Each structure stands twice: as C-alpha cells, then as structure tokens.
Amino acid sequence: MSIVQEFNEYRTKMNERIIEEDNKVLKRLFNLDTNAFAEGALDKKTKEIIGLTSSMVLRCDDCVKYHLGKCYELGFTSAQMFEAFSIANLIGGTIVIPHLRRAVEYWEELQKGN
Amino acid sequence: MSIVQEFNEYRTKMNERIIEEDNKVLKRLFNLDTNAFAEGALDKKTKEIIGLTSSMVLRCDDCVKYHLGKCYELGFTSAQMFEAFSIANLIGGTIVIPHLRRAVEYWEELQKGN
Amino acid sequence: MSIVQEFNEYRTKMNERIIEEDNKVLKRLFNLDTNAFAEGALDKKTKEIIGLTSSMVLRCDDCVKYHLGKCYELGFTSAQMFEAFSIANLIGGTIVIPHLRRAVEYWEELQKGN
Amino acid sequence: MSIVQEFNEYRTKMNERIIEEDNKVLKRLFNLDTNAFAEGALDKKTKEIIGLTSSMVLRCDDCVKYHLGKCYELGFTSAQMFEAFSIANLIGGTIVIPHLRRAVEYWEELQKGN
Amino acid sequence: MSIVQEFNEYRTKMNERIIEEDNKVLKRLFNLDTNAFAEGALDKKTKEIIGLTSSMVLRCDDCVKYHLGKCYELGFTSAQMFEAFSIANLIGGTIVIPHLRRAVEYWEELQKGN
Amino acid sequence: MSIVQEFNEYRTKMNERIIEEDNKVLKRLFNLDTNAFAEGALDKKTKEIIGLTSSMVLRCDDCVKYHLGKCYELGFTSAQMFEAFSIANLIGGTIVIPHLRRAVEYWEELQKGN
C-alpha cells in the first residue's frame, strides 16, 4: 500500500469515527472546511495552494498531504508546487525543511498515480 | 502490544534514562509536573482536562496520550472528551484535526482496557 | 478608560465590521465559538477554563483577556485562576510568563469592577 | 500618521539598520524574500496571497500588514481578502481572530489611500 | 523613560505581584529559571545566547529583551549578537524578522547605557 | 540499521531530490544554512548548540537529530547536552519533553558510534 493510500485510509476511517460521535461543534467544523475551499471570489486552485502553504508553515504533515492530494487533482505542476514550498520554507524557516522532504516524497507518490 | 502499552513503555524507559543523568533542572521540572496536577483550588479532573486540551492545541501527540490516560483513570465520559476535543479544535484550528484522529484512536484503545 | 473597557470596545467594533462583510465561513466560525462554550456534558466553568488555558499556552493575549472576562463572570477565584496559569506556564514554558504578567494585570483590573 | 505609514516608517528604518550591520546571512535572507515573491511558475498575486495567509496562520501581525500592503497594490478585492482570511482562521483556529481584527483595520486603512 | 527601563519596570512590578500570590508551581518555575542559566558544564555566556535565540525563534519579544539585557551585561559584541540573530531568523524564518527589528532597537538602546 | 543511519539516509536522499528540482530559493536557503553555522564572531560550537536548542524549543525532531549529530562531532559532553536540553525544556515547557526523550535516545545512539 502506498503512503498515499495509507494516509487516505486512516484519515477516512478516523473521520468516520469522529462524525459518528455526533459532536455538533466538530461536525460543523468539518463542514466549514468543505465550504471554505469552494469556488468563490478566489478560485479553487488559489484556495488549495493557500491551504497547502498554511499547512506547511504550521508544520502539519497530514494537512500538507491532504492539500497535496487536492493540488494534484487540480492540475498543479511540480514547478508550481516547489515555488509554493519555497515560500513556505522561507516564511517558516529551515525547521520546515523536514516537512518539505516528506511533502516531496508524497508529491512524487501522487505523480506515480498511487 | 497496544498503542497504549507501547506509549507507556517507551515513556517510562526514556524518562528513567533522563532522570539517571541527574540534571537538576530537568529533575525539578519533572517534579513540578506532578505538583501542578495535584488536587488544589481546582480539582484533579479540571486540571487533567486543562492538561489534555493545552496539549492538543499545542499539537503534542504524546502529551495528549498521557493526559488521555489520566482522564480515563479519572472517569471522564466520551461525550466529555469530545466536548474538550471540540474546543481544542476550534481554538487551534483544523491543523489540530490530525491530532484529534490519533487522540480518538488512543481513547478507544483505553476503553478496551488496554 | 481601563484596559478591560479598551479591549472590549475594540473587540466589539472590529467584530461588527468583520460580520458586516458577510463572509459565510467567518460568520459560522464566530457562531461555532458560542456553541462550543455552551453548557453540555462539560459545564460552562470547565469549558471557560479550558478556553483560558488553551489561549495562554498559545500565547494569545487577546484570547486570554476574553476568557478571563468570562471566568470572572462565572465566579472563579484568584487561587483557581493562578492554578490554571501555573499549568499553562508549566506546559507552555517560561515563554508564557510575559503573557502571564499581562493576564494578571487584566485579572486585577476585572476585580476592580472595571 | 496612519497605522499604514507608522508601520512602513518603522519597518524601513529598522531594516536599514539591520542591513548596515552587514551580516551576510541576514542580507541574503532579505534578498531571498524578494526573489521568492517574484513572478514565476506561480504569478505574483498567488504568491502574495500565500504570503498573507501564511503570515496570518503564524499570527505575525507585521508580516500580515506587509503582505496586505502588497495585496492592495496588486488589486485584490475585499471579498477576496476575506475569503483568504476565512481560510486562515479556519486552519489556524479562533486564536487567529485577534489578528484578523487588526488585519481588517489595516486593510480598511489601505483602502482610504493612506 | 527608555524602552529598556520601561520593560524592566513593568517586568519587576508584575513578577512581584505573581510571587505575592504564593502559587508554589509558579514560584518554583521562576526559581528554576535562575538555576538553569547558572554557570555549569556550559558557561553563562553560552546559556544566555541559547536563551536569547530560543526566545527569538519562539517570537517572544519580552523574553528576547530580557536575554538581550543579560547578553549585554555579559559583554557580547554586536557582531556576535547579529550572528545569533541570523541563525534564529534562518531557523525560524522571515516571520522572525519583525521580532529582529524590535531586538535590534532594544540592543541599540542597551548600548546607549539606558 | 540504527536510527542515526536511517535519519541520515532519508535526509540525504530527499535533499538530493529537492536540489534536483532546481528551485533557486530553496537552493539558496540550503546554502544559507551552511553559511550560518560557519566559524565567525561566534565559534562553531556555540552556533551548533544554538541550532540544537532552537530546534528543540520549536519541537522539530529531525532538526534536533541533525544538530545532535553535529554537536557529537564537535565533542560536546553529555553533561553539556543535558544542560542545553534543560534550558530548552524550561523555555519551551513540558510539551518539549517527548522531543527530549527522542533526543536522548538519538544521543545515546550517536555515542555508540552508529
């Protein structure tokens, strides 16, 4: 199983358990997440790359993986991803580099179609 | 070995090595930790749930696991845990969600009595 | 004008401008905040002190001020506040101390009935 | 003097002093900042809004002000800014709200042409 | 009154009020701070520059001011301070730069003997 | 394969892929990293221990591992490492302790000559 499949499986499984618990605030927070990235005054691609870089400067590997998947679906090129990565690493500093390594590994996996 | 046992074993093993080193500041810091969560003007349960949510907004998985263990011993219900989780995820944002997933997995493991 | 009044005035003024802008995600996020701290499986007091300590470890002075106001309304004692502060400073480290200073100043102002 | 002028004046004055010190690493870091936001595989507008939201989730008011100035020059609309703000507040959580208030105040000042 | 005197006055005044409250955990945490920076296997200068840079990457202006004061007393040169700053800004990223500006302003004030 | 070899192998492999991508900003950021830690007004040892503690308070395990490797090469003693750890844990708080455990495990591995 690829790191992409592994991530998606665990994420789906646990999100389902969280939703089952029927906590209103968490449910609405999960819904808000969907609304925030919908087409609007800013297009979907801009919103996803914002989500990606915000996740990267906050050093959240799983959030980065999620948005990398979305960015891949939306057709971003590697050159564009690396420019986004470079801004995130400059703003967030060299402590972001270990997260960059994992992001690059995941991005390459996505490109293999896994 | 369950994720609960795995966490506790590694934690105990490494804490012992740290204490062996006989660094005064670290030893006192470890002791302070015990004192801070003792019954006082605030009861133990309030202090543990404060420890849990503070650990969650700071996105420290191991700290969350430790306090989940304590909260389980103190008899918190799942509904109470999820309300605490929901506040932590609202205050800390959706970057906390990956830590919520791991917290829920650990909480379910605790409930199995592992 | 006291630091309490100053904080509340600016907060109210700017929140109104934000709501006026009619951004759905922000409006719902603001509403979620109200829901999350409502009486539930956990009582209001526990939720507010969770909000306070989470804000303190995240070093958000304005969030701390907001929750200090709520904690004051809910009748927390100074001894209880300081135990909460002590846990936040232990978990978050000495970098939290400057925020503790401002929190104590604000708490004393609240007690003067400002 | 408006909050925009105040920010720019202090920023320019202190940046000059920093450059005068002739520390190579800092000088190159300052230059990198310019390069990272130049037109490339991603256009300037996308890069600036990435810079804005990354600064907001990291809760750096001065960084937010700087990128708001750039976004204003590049012709972003208020609706676009608020969608970016909403993503930053959702990802970063309600602790970002105090920074949102100051960002909105600064954005309004920019629109007055100050 | 200089920004150095202002900082020290407020810090002393509020620390006294915190100690008056007689919270054991906070008192011990304050004492630990003194012990941690005492001469040991690492000399005082190394410990202070560690305290300074750790405070800077964590973007705590007041902590930076405190350690700048100590570093000034211990006879660090401006060239040495700027090398420490450059490492902190590289590791912590460009979001540290606004804190660097305030640190440089404070350092210059210290050198004026204020 | 030891955790030291594992870390270095993955780090080298992914850094090469990142450099291959030929993104100027990232390449220069990587070079800056080398320059920042070179002998200067501060000696190499002071710079490495600054890098180590800054990485620890920022809770970046991989950054800590990298600087532990450098500190080991430069001949720091365990007593010195633990004093640096104690300052990092005091400034960053008990949320740093899980990172301390992993740092101690890695340091012990380095001493075995792996």
Side-chain angles (χ1 to χ4, degrees):
Chain A
M1 187 159 66
S2 79
I3 54 173
V4 175
Q5 295 164 318
E6 219 173 82
F7 168 71
N8 288 325
E9 238 177 56
Y10 180 76
R11 182 178 173 277
T12 307
K13 185 184 75 182
M14 294 315 300
N15 281 4
E16 281 166 1
R17 295 209 200 153
I18 291 163
I19 295 306
E20 278 168 16
E21 195 61 35
D22 203 32
N23 176 288
K24 268 184 195 166
V25 174
L26 285 173
K27 273 181 151 176
R28 289 180 187 171
L29 197 61
F30 276 54
N31 288 334
L32 261 185
D33 207 16
T34 322
N35 302 331
F37 291 95
E39 191 78 15
L42 293 172
D43 58 40
K44 273 186 168 182
K45 287 187 78 169
T46 304
K47 288 181 167 187
E48 274 309 325
I49 205 162
I50 283 174
L52 172 68
T53 46
S54 296
S55 302
M56 191 171 256
V57 295
L58 288 169
R59 301 163 47 202
C60 175
D61 287 330
D62 286 2
C63 313
V64 167
K65 285 175 178 178
Y66 173 77
H67 289 291
L68 279 173
K70 290 288 182 187
C71 287
Y72 181 71
E73 290 171 18
L74 292 170
F76 278 100
T77 66
S78 288
Q80 291 173 321
M81 283 294 98
F82 271 78
E83 286 194 3
F85 294 160
S86 69
I87 293 173
N89 280 263
L90 184 61
I91 290 177
T94 56
I95 47 157
V96 178
I97 291 176
H99 305 273
L100 172 64
R101 287 185 200 117
R102 293 186 279 271
V104 168
E105 183 180 31
Y106 195 84
W107 178 250
E108 291 176 342
E109 201 62 32
L110 283 165
Q111 290 176 312
K112 291 178 193 160
N114 295 328
Chain B
M1 186 160 66
S2 78
I3 53 174
V4 175
Q5 295 164 317
E6 218 173 84
F7 169 70
N8 288 325
E9 236 175 62
Y10 181 76
R11 183 179 172 277
T12 307
K13 184 184 75 182
M14 294 316 300
N15 282 3
E16 281 166 2
R17 295 212 200 150
I18 291 163
I19 296 306
E20 278 167 19
E21 194 63 35
D22 203 32
N23 176 288
K24 269 184 193 166
V25 175
L26 285 173
K27 275 180 150 176
R28 290 179 186 172
L29 197 60
F30 276 53
N31 288 335
L32 261 184
D33 208 13
T34 322
N35 303 329
F37 291 95
E39 193 77 14
L42 294 172
D43 58 39
K44 273 187 170 182
K45 287 187 78 170
T46 305
K47 288 182 168 186
E48 273 310 324
I49 206 162
I50 283 173
L52 172 67
T53 46
S54 297
S55 301
M56 192 172 254
V57 295
L58 288 170
R59 302 164 47 202
C60 176
D61 287 331
D62 286 2
C63 313
V64 167
K65 286 175 177 177
Y66 172 78
H67 289 291
L68 280 174
K70 291 288 182 188
C71 287
Y72 181 72
E73 290 170 15
L74 292 169
F76 278 101
T77 66
S78 288
Q80 291 173 322
M81 283 294 98
F82 272 78
E83 286 193 3
F85 295 159
S86 70
I87 293 174
N89 281 262
L90 184 61
I91 290 177
T94 56
I95 46 157
V96 177
I97 292 177
H99 305 274
L100 171 64
R101 288 186 199 114
R102 292 187 279 272
V104 169
E105 184 180 30
Y106 196 84
W107 178 250
E108 291 176 340
E109 202 61 32
L110 284 164
Q111 290 177 311
K112 293 179 193 159
N114 295 327
Chain C
M1 189 160 66
S2 78
I3 54 175
V4 176
Q5 294 163 319
E6 218 173 82
F7 169 70
N8 289 324
E9 238 176 58
Y10 181 75
R11 182 177 174 278
T12 307
K13 184 184 77 181
M14 294 316 300
N15 281 4
E16 281 167 1
R17 296 210 199 149
I18 290 163
I19 296 306
E20 277 168 19
E21 194 62 35
D22 203 34
N23 176 288
K24 269 185 194 164
V25 175
L26 285 173
K27 275 180 150 176
R28 288 178 186 173
L29 197 62
F30 277 53
N31 289 334
L32 261 184
D33 208 14
T34 322
N35 303 330
F37 291 94
E39 193 76 15
L42 293 172
D43 59 40
K44 273 186 171 184
K45 286 186 80 170
T46 304
K47 288 182 169 188
E48 274 309 325
I49 206 162
I50 283 173
L52 172 68
T53 45
S54 297
S55 301
M56 192 171 254
V57 295
L58 288 170
R59 301 163 48 202
C60 175
D61 288 330
D62 286 3
C63 313
V64 167
K65 287 175 176 179
Y66 172 77
H67 288 291
L68 280 173
K70 291 287 183 190
C71 287
Y72 181 72
E73 290 171 16
L74 293 170
F76 278 102
T77 66
S78 287
Q80 291 173 322
M81 283 295 97
F82 272 79
E83 286 193 3
F85 295 159
S86 69
I87 294 174
N89 280 263
L90 184 61
I91 291 177
T94 56
I95 47 156
V96 178
I97 292 176
H99 304 274
L100 171 64
R101 288 186 200 115
R102 292 186 280 271
V104 168
E105 183 180 30
Y106 195 83
W107 178 250
E108 291 176 340
E109 200 62 31
L110 283 164
Q111 290 176 311
K112 292 178 193 160
N114 296 328
Chain D
M1 186 159 69
S2 78
I3 53 175
V4 175
Q5 294 163 317
E6 219 174 81
F7 168 71
N8 288 325
E9 238 176 58
Y10 180 76
R11 182 178 174 276
T12 308
K13 183 184 78 183
M14 294 315 301
N15 282 4
E16 280 166 4
R17 294 211 201 150
I18 291 163
I19 296 306
E20 277 168 19
E21 195 61 34
D22 203 32
N23 175 289
K24 268 185 195 164
V25 175
L26 285 173
K27 276 181 150 174
R28 289 179 187 172
L29 197 60
F30 276 54
N31 289 335
L32 261 185
D33 208 15
T34 323
N35 302 332
F37 292 95
E39 194 76 14
L42 293 172
D43 58 39
K44 273 186 171 184
K45 287 187 80 171
T46 305
K47 288 181 167 187
E48 274 308 325
I49 206 162
I50 284 173
L52 173 67
T53 46
S54 297
S55 301
M56 192 172 255
V57 296
L58 288 170
R59 301 163 49 204
C60 175
D61 287 330
D62 286 3
C63 314
V64 167
K65 286 175 177 177
Y66 173 76
H67 289 291
L68 280 173
K70 290 287 182 191
C71 287
Y72 181 72
E73 289 170 19
L74 292 170
F76 278 101
T77 66
S78 288
Q80 291 172 321
M81 284 294 98
F82 272 79
E83 287 194 3
F85 294 159
S86 70
I87 293 173
N89 281 261
L90 185 61
I91 291 178
T94 56
I95 47 155
V96 178
I97 292 176
H99 305 273
L100 172 65
R101 289 186 200 114
R102 292 186 279 273
V104 169
E105 183 180 30
Y106 195 83
W107 178 250
E108 291 176 340
E109 201 63 31
L110 283 163
Q111 289 176 313
K112 293 179 192 160
N114 294 328
Chain E
M1 188 161 66
S2 79
I3 54 175
V4 175
Q5 293 163 320
E6 220 174 80
F7 168 71
N8 288 326
E9 239 176 57
Y10 181 76
R11 182 178 173 279
T12 307
K13 184 184 76 182
M14 294 316 300
N15 281 5
E16 280 167 1
R17 295 208 201 152
I18 291 163
I19 295 308
E20 277 167 19
E21 195 61 37
D22 203 32
N23 176 287
K24 269 185 194 163
V25 175
L26 286 173
K27 274 180 150 176
R28 289 180 186 171
L29 197 60
F30 276 53
N31 289 335
L32 261 185
D33 209 12
T34 322
N35 302 331
F37 292 95
E39 193 76 14
L42 292 172
D43 58 39
K44 274 186 170 182
K45 287 187 79 170
T46 304
K47 288 181 167 188
E48 273 310 323
I49 206 162
I50 283 173
L52 172 68
T53 46
S54 297
S55 301
M56 191 172 255
V57 294
L58 287 169
R59 298 163 51 202
C60 176
D61 287 330
D62 286 3
C63 314
V64 167
K65 286 175 177 177
Y66 172 76
H67 289 291
L68 280 173
K70 290 288 183 189
C71 287
Y72 181 71
E73 289 170 18
L74 293 170
F76 278 101
T77 67
S78 287
Q80 291 173 321
M81 284 294 98
F82 272 79
E83 286 193 3
F85 295 159
S86 69
I87 293 173
N89 280 262
L90 185 60
I91 290 177
T94 57
I95 47 155
V96 177
I97 292 176
H99 304 274
L100 171 65
R101 287 185 200 114
R102 293 187 279 272
V104 169
E105 183 181 30
Y106 195 84
W107 177 250
E108 290 176 342
E109 201 61 31
L110 282 164
Q111 289 176 310
K112 291 178 194 160
N114 294 328
Chain F
M1 187 161 65
S2 78
I3 54 174
V4 175
Q5 294 164 318
E6 219 173 81
F7 168 70
N8 288 326
E9 238 177 58
Y10 181 75
R11 181 176 173 279
T12 307
K13 184 184 77 183
M14 294 316 301
N15 281 4
E16 280 167 2
R17 295 211 200 148
I18 291 163
I19 296 306
E20 277 168 17
E21 196 61 37
D22 203 32
N23 175 289
K24 267 184 195 166
V25 175
L26 285 173
K27 275 182 151 175
R28 289 179 186 174
L29 198 61
F30 276 53
N31 289 335
L32 260 185
D33 208 14
T34 322
N35 302 330
F37 291 95
E39 192 77 14
L42 293 172
D43 58 40
K44 274 187 169 183
K45 287 187 79 169
T46 304
K47 289 182 167 186
E48 273 310 325
I49 206 162
I50 283 174
L52 172 68
T53 46
S54 297
S55 300
M56 192 172 255
V57 295
L58 288 170
R59 301 163 49 200
C60 175
D61 287 330
D62 286 2
C63 313
V64 167
K65 286 175 177 177
Y66 172 76
H67 289 292
L68 280 173
K70 290 289 183 188
C71 287
Y72 181 71
E73 289 171 20
L74 291 170
F76 277 102
T77 67
S78 288
Q80 291 173 321
M81 283 295 99
F82 271 78
E83 286 193 4
F85 295 160
S86 69
I87 293 174
N89 280 262
L90 184 61
I91 290 177
T94 56
I95 46 157
V96 178
I97 293 177
H99 304 274
L100 172 65
R101 288 186 201 113
R102 293 187 279 273
V104 169
E105 182 180 32
Y106 196 84
W107 178 251
E108 291 176 341
E109 201 63 32
L110 283 164
Q111 290 176 311
K112 293 178 194 160
N114 294 328

